[in-house]
Amino acid sequence: MTAEKQFSLSYEGFSYNARVVGKPHPPSLPVVLLGGALMDMLGWRMTERHLSERTTVVTVDLPGQGTSDPLPAAYGLRYLSASVAHLVKHLGLGRVNLVGTSFGSTLAYAVARIHPEIVSHMVLVGFGGKPTPRARKLTDWTCAMVDKGMPNLGHRFATSILNHDPSCSVRNRNSVRDTLIRYYDRYVPGPQAAATLRRALGDSDLWEAGVTGVPALLVCGEHDHLVPPSLSRRACSLIEDARFVVIKEADHVVHLERPAELAEVVLRFCDGASLDALDYLGPVEQPYGDAPPAVTPLRRLRSR
């Protein structure tokens, strides 16, 4: 039986909420799940169910998300990273494994970049690194439509992030699409949607050096067209110890399309187990070997 505890916390004047589930005294380090820009902590339930059988799982609505206080767009990734560090410290978790999807993967990267002392391993799902022109265009368009009060915007946003090519096999495609449409129809027209989306494009200096000292696995859906495998593979250049893998029959929302498989990948990677025998994964790659270009200058500076 897994137990659940709920917490109401505050950081620098903004309240936020978190949940902790899992068995007491698990053998693995706690896993902190960071969701997409327009996702609340309950959106992880399908993946959480599998993870909590073996470890402690923390989900959170940081300021600006879900049930927590609204957060102005001027509070960017640095503030949210500090909020994650505050959460980990308040709960007495020590070091944790971070898992982020979509915007949550960018936030997990920022946490490892700024607060590496709290991160043991990280799994980044749908991570493309520095926002691309396509991502900026989609964000700018969505924010403009939110400001104008465009009808059915949630439906349009949900369908824009999914791959609709019928020749691409994606698990749970129809149910995932319907789930996203229902959720975004409620959330995207709200006042926090534009601020949340704009926040995802800030803090450009985070991409100037890269992450060292935190092993990372970048996971990409085989048919993700928002952050395609080629882009996610290239983002390994930002992390000193990075591996990349494609998960088959998946699109951009792997935590809904293949939740059990994603949970297994997370637990295996964070526990140091092999991923080679998992038939739903492509080959595990290390695209830049031991010298990813974005972090090499940082290593040189440290060696002087």
Side-chain angles (χ1 to χ4, degrees), residues 51-130:
L51 289 170
S52 62
E53 294 173 355
R54 289 175 48 189
T55 191
T56 299
V57 182
V58 181
T59 57
V60 57
D61 282 343
L62 292 169
Q65 292 181 314
T67 58
S68 297
D69 279 354
L71 187 69
Y75 288 80
L77 287 167
R78 291 186 178 277
Y79 171 82
L80 291 180
S81 298
S83 299
V84 174
H86 175 265
L87 170 70
V88 170
K89 182 178 180 181
H90 180 88
L91 297 181
L93 299 176
R95 297 182 79 206
V96 300
N97 295 317
L98 282 184
V99 180
T101 185
S102 196
F103 171 73
S105 69
T106 301
L107 176 56
Y109 169 88
V111 174
R113 173 80 170 77
I114 302 169
H115 304 281
E117 71 281 356
I118 68 169
V119 187
S120 174
H121 293 70
M122 62 179 176
V123 177
L124 309 180
V125 186
F127 178 67
K130 186 176 181 178

Side-chain angles (χ1 to χ4, degrees), residues 2 17 35 41 46 49 72 78 89 94 120 145 163 176 218 222 233 245 250 252 272 302:
T2 59
N17 301 300
M41 59 184 171
M46 293 174 66
R49 183 165 59 247
R78 291 186 178 277
K89 182 178 180 181
S120 174
M145 294 304 102
N163 186 337
V176 167
L218 279 63
E222 177 184 19
R233 183 183 289 108
V245 71
H252 188 65
R302 287 182 174 177

Side-chain angles (χ1 to χ4, degrees), residues 116-183:
E117 71 281 356
I118 68 169
V119 187
S120 174
H121 293 70
M122 62 179 176
V123 177
L124 309 180
V125 186
F127 178 67
K130 186 176 181 178
T132 64
R134 182 175 185 272
R136 290 183 178 277
K137 183 177 180 180
L138 175 61
T139 298
D140 289 344
W141 178 85
T142 304
C143 290
M145 294 304 102
V146 168
D147 293 341
K148 290 181 179 180
M150 182 180 186
N152 299 317
L153 182 57
H155 184 285
R156 289 170 181 258
F157 185 81
T159 54
S160 71
I161 69 174
L162 297 175
N163 186 337
H164 302 282
D165 185 344
S167 68
C168 298
S169 176
V170 175
R171 295 285 182 95
N172 302 311
R173 168 179 267 159
N174 292 336
S175 62
V176 167
R177 180 198 62 217
D178 293 344
T179 296
L180 289 182
I181 288 172
R182 286 195 301 271
Y183 181 75

Side-chain angles (χ1 to χ4, degrees), residues 171-214:
R171 295 285 182 95
N172 302 311
R173 168 179 267 159
N174 292 336
S175 62
V176 167
R177 180 198 62 217
D178 293 344
T179 296
L180 289 182
I181 288 172
R182 286 195 301 271
Y183 181 75
Y184 289 141
D185 273 344
R186 292 197 311 272
Y187 190 81
V188 171
Q192 273 297 291
T196 301
L197 290 169
R198 290 187 175 107
R199 187 174 298 115
L201 302 181
D203 296 297
S204 59
D205 59 320
L206 289 173
W207 313 107
E208 292 177 2
V211 168
T212 64
V214 178

Side-chain angles (χ1 to χ4, degrees), residues 5 10 18 33 42 48 56 61 70 92 148 169 185 213 226 228-229 232 246 275 285 290:
K5 294 181 180 180
S10 179
L33 302 175
L42 298 182
E48 168 197 296
T56 299
D61 282 343
K148 290 181 179 180
S169 176
D185 273 344
L226 187 64
S232 187
V246 165
L275 302 176
E285 307 173 33
D290 295 326

